Amino acid sequence: MAELINLRQRRKAKARAEAAVKAAENRRLHGRTLAEKRAAKDEAARLEKHVEAHKRED
């Protein structure tokens, strides 16, 4: 006798798996914590200030 499967459950499981793959890709592309974003912003501001302080006045 063949194994019985529930097509609705299979369809939902497939949709969940696809959503998980898409979520992982989005986390990889866009996933930075707020602290990481702030640290990058602060670092950029610090570097800009450093460059501005060393510019020559002609």
Side-chain angles (χ1 to χ4, degrees):
M1 181 180 235
E3 180 183 344
L4 296 177
I5 59 171
N6 187 323
L7 296 177
R8 178 183 53 83
Q9 288 177 341
R10 290 284 174 115
R11 187 173 54 247
K12 286 186 176 186
K14 181 181 176 187
R16 279 192 297 272
E18 289 172 357
V21 169
K22 184 176 179 182
E25 181 67 16
N26 284 337
R27 281 192 302 273
R28 186 184 66 78
L29 292 174
H30 307 290
R32 289 194 316 172
T33 64
L34 185 58
E36 290 172 333
K37 291 176 188 177
R38 286 182 179 163
K41 183 179 173 185
D42 291 344
E43 178 69 13
R46 187 186 66 78
L47 290 175
E48 181 65 26
K49 185 177 177 183
H50 181 75
V51 169
E52 289 294 322
H54 289 84
K55 283 190 177 178
R56 291 177 42 183
E57 293 182 21
D58 290 333

